[in-house]
Amino acid sequence: MLSVLSYGRIVARAVLGGLSQTDGRDYSLITASCGFGKDFRKGILKKGMCYGDDACFIAQHKSADVLGVADGVGGWRDYGVDPSQFSATLMRTCERLVKEGRFTPSSPVGILTSGYYELLQNKVPLLGSSTACIVVLDRRSHRIHTCNLGDSGFLVVRGGEVVHRSDEQQHYFNTPFQLSIAPPGAEGVVLSDSPEVSDSSSFDVQLGDIILTATDGLFDNMPDYMILQELKKLKNTNYDSIQQTARSIAEQAHELAYDPNYMSPFAQFACDNGLNVRGGKPDDITVLLSIVAEYTD
């Protein structure tokens, strides 16, 4: 059975499409989560919010709503390391920092940096790597502040069009930027990027804007036009509607991932890099679907 987690204010209100902002009103996010592990973990969450080697969190503080996704690098499994441990621990740490108020809404990279350095200083051994994307809605300023390291990412959709998005970061084909903790003596061998090199942005949002935050399992299998087609089915902002749409997007990406004849975005990117590839890309998929709403305490 597909597992869907939702989070948001029951009293939050929004109307889809084009409402003008009004000074003095705080905004919030109504968010639903859905995903799949790529193997036999269909729709099953591990401890916390994890689909396969992906992890995510949804948190609120008095000044902001914060979302995060991370994708554990599967290659660690060849060395006897569970890739999900790194991504899950990173997201749990970031979530705790938000709930404790140890962050500035305008600096999501500060959340990621603090979370990562806590992992580095952790007395319990932890090895692995992960991409990461964090989205912060500043309730008062009506701005989202984002940071993205690697090939997870987000879209902001307004009036059926993508009006803002993250930039993917790749060292080379299928090798995204990533945070890492290497075994002693292997620090110079394991690919590792600083959280400070994350792609950061700020963007003014409006009531009814849709924010889709996801790991690469979605974007490698569904191009924008398919995602937008699914988002058109979102007719109102009650939780059931958001959950249903999140489920529909995740399910379609999961099906396409195993279609050998489908020319996926990943396959197209591979061809652009001189590789003869066709079909979807089996992968863990995590989708956070959010609507910008008026906040009422």
Side-chain angles (χ1 to χ4, degrees), residues 46 50 79 84-85 91 105 122 127 168 178 253 257-258 264 272:
K46 295 183 179 180
C50 304
Y79 301 94
S84 70
Q85 292 300 309
M91 291 292 94
N122 197 334
L127 301 176
E168 185 176 294
Q178 54 201 262
Y258 292 90
S264 64
D272 293 342

Side-chain angles (χ1 to χ4, degrees), residues 71-273:
D71 178 5
V73 176
W76 283 94
R77 191 169 282 108
D78 296 336
Y79 301 94
V81 176
D82 180 354
S84 70
Q85 292 300 309
F86 186 92
S87 55
T89 305
L90 178 64
M91 291 292 94
R92 285 197 303 267
T93 304
C94 291
E95 179 181 15
R96 176 176 52 78
L97 292 171
V98 171
K99 290 182 175 180
E100 292 174 352
R102 296 166 56 189
F103 74 105
T104 302
S106 61
S107 180
V109 69
I111 301 172
L112 185 60
T113 300
S114 296
Y116 175 55
Y117 286 129
E118 278 203 22
L119 267 58
L120 289 175
Q121 298 166 6
N122 197 334
K123 295 180 181 179
V124 179
L126 178 68
L127 301 176
S129 305
S130 176
T131 65
C133 180
I134 294 180
V135 176
V136 180
L137 170 66
D138 187 318
R139 291 179 181 163
R140 183 56 56 87
S141 70
H142 307 162
R143 291 176 69 82
I144 60 167
H145 304 280
T146 67
C147 73
N148 184 60
L149 185 80
D151 56 4
S152 295
F154 69 90
L155 303 175
V156 180
V157 177
R158 180 183 302 160
E161 298 181 353
V162 176
V163 294
H164 184 54
R165 71 184 309 147
S166 56
D167 288 329
E168 185 176 294
Q169 294 178 312
Q170 296 267 6
H171 287 285
Y172 42 87
F173 173 69
N174 205 28
T175 307
F177 283 30
Q178 54 201 262
L179 303 176
S180 300
I181 297 180
E187 289 83 356
V189 178
V190 174
L191 183 64
S192 182
D193 298 287
S194 167
E196 286 88 352
V197 303
S198 301
D199 175 63
S200 298
S201 71
S202 296
F203 185 77
D204 291 326
V205 294
Q206 299 178 8
L207 292 176
D209 281 356
I210 300 171
I211 302 173
L212 185 148
T213 310
T215 54
D216 67 322
L218 173 68
F219 300 117
D220 281 344
N221 288 297
M222 287 185 71
D224 284 0
Y225 81 88
M226 286 188 183
I227 296 173
L228 292 175
Q229 285 176 348
E230 292 300 313
L231 291 178
K232 288 178 181 178
K233 301 175 183 178
L234 183 57
K235 300 302 183 183
N236 56 65
T237 60
N238 65 60
Y239 292 124
D240 288 343
S241 180
I242 298 172
Q243 290 176 350
Q244 183 177 357
T245 303
R247 178 190 297 118
S248 178
I249 291 171
E251 285 180 338
Q252 185 168 347
H254 183 71
E255 290 176 3
L256 291 171
Y258 292 90
D259 183 345
N261 299 312
Y262 168 56
M263 195 63 180
S264 64
F266 177 81
Q268 184 60 59
F269 187 33
C271 290
D272 293 342
N273 282 270

